Amino acid sequence: MILALAGFMGCGKSSIGRELSRLLGCDFADLDDVIVQNTGSDIPEIFAVCGESGFRAMELGALETILTSDGRPANMVLSLGGGTLMTQECADLVRSLSTCIYLRASVDTLEGNLLLVGTENRPMLSGKKPLRERIEELMQMRSAIYESTAHYIIDTDGKDDRAIATEIIKTLGL
Ligand code: S3P
C-alpha cells in the first residue's frame, strides 16, 4: 500500500511521514526531495528558472514515476508537496493509486510551524503579503481539494508527530 500524506506547507507531512514509515518498517519518499534529486536544483531555483508551472510539471512527472513504475515498493509512505493536489492529474493519480491522508491543521498551527522553520525555501509564501494572510488565501483555494481527494482526514492541532503517526496506523487498521 502506498500511503500519500497531503496537506498545507508546514503541517508536518515530511516529519510525520518519516515517523510513520519508521513505525511501519517501510520505505519513505518525499516528493520535493525526489524533484530536487532529479534536477540537481533546489525548489526556489526551480521556481525562479521554470516558474510555478514548470515545477508543477516536474511534480506530476515525479509522482507518475513513483506511483506507476514497475520497481515501486509494495509498501511505502510518500509525503506530497503542499500544492501537489492542485494539479488535477496529480489528484487523480493520488486518489486512484494511493491511500491519501490529509493532515489537516488550523491556520494558527500552520503559521506557528512555518514561523519556526522559516519560509525561505517555500516560493509560494514569498512576496509582500504577511504570512498569515497568504496562508489564509491559499488555504481558501486548497482546503476543499485536500478534503475531497483524501481517503482519510486526520486533525493534527496540538498533537506531536508520534501521536499523529500512531493515529494514522489506528485509523487505517494497519
Ligand atoms: C508548495 C509546497 C512545497 C513545495 C513547493 C510548493 C505549495 O512543499 O512543493 O514549494 O505549493 O504548497 P511543502 O508542503 O513540503 O513545503
Side-chain angles (χ1 to χ4, degrees):
M1 177 193 286
I2 297 188
L3 296 179
L5 301 188
F8 199 80
M9 290 169 275
C11 73
K13 296 179 291 294
S14 303
S15 55
I16 295 162
R18 271 195 195 87
E19 178 67 12
L20 184 58
S21 68
R22 196 184 63 78
L23 291 174
L24 292 172
C26 70
D27 285 16
F28 170 74
D30 182 293
L31 191 57
D32 283 337
D33 291 347
V34 172
I35 296 166
V36 167
Q37 272 164 22
N38 288 347
T39 59
S41 305
D42 63 24
I43 304 273
E45 259 165 30
I46 297 172
F47 268 73
V49 175
C50 311
E52 184 186 350
S53 62
F55 175 77
R56 297 298 170 207
M58 290 175 199
E59 216 175 15
L60 174 59
L63 183 69
E64 221 159 21
T65 304
I66 293 170
L67 294 182
T68 65
S69 76
D70 289 341
R72 71 187 181 281
N75 295 307
M76 90 184 282
V77 176
L78 171 66
S79 293
L80 303 173
T84 309
L85 299 183
M86 302 312 116
T87 303
Q88 183 66 54
E89 294 99 312
C90 286
D92 292 345
L93 278 170
V94 164
R95 179 83 199 165
S96 57
L97 297 177
S98 77
T99 299
C100 180
I101 298 144
Y102 170 29
L103 301 175
R104 183 165 61 188
S106 66
V107 172
D108 275 348
T109 296
L110 295 170
E111 185 188 25
N113 290 348
L114 287 165
L115 284 173
L116 269 181
V117 296
T119 56
E120 307 78 45
N121 287 322
R122 293 185 159 109
M124 294 300 290
L125 298 175
S126 65
K128 292 203 177 70
K129 276 195 187 142
L131 177 61
R132 192 180 178 89
E133 218 177 287
R134 185 67 178 137
I135 296 171
E136 283 168 347
E137 178 181 76
L138 284 172
M139 272 298 278
Q140 198 144 20
M141 294 192 259
R142 294 177 170 190
S143 60
I145 295 169
Y146 293 142
E147 288 181 6
S148 62
T149 308
H151 301 92
Y152 297 91
I153 298 175
I154 302 281
D155 284 304
T156 61
D157 287 349
K159 301 172 189 167
D160 64 20
D161 290 353
R162 180 71 191 264
I164 295 164
T166 307
E167 187 174 333
I168 292 171
I169 289 171
K170 206 172 147 201
T171 305
L172 273 68
L174 298 173

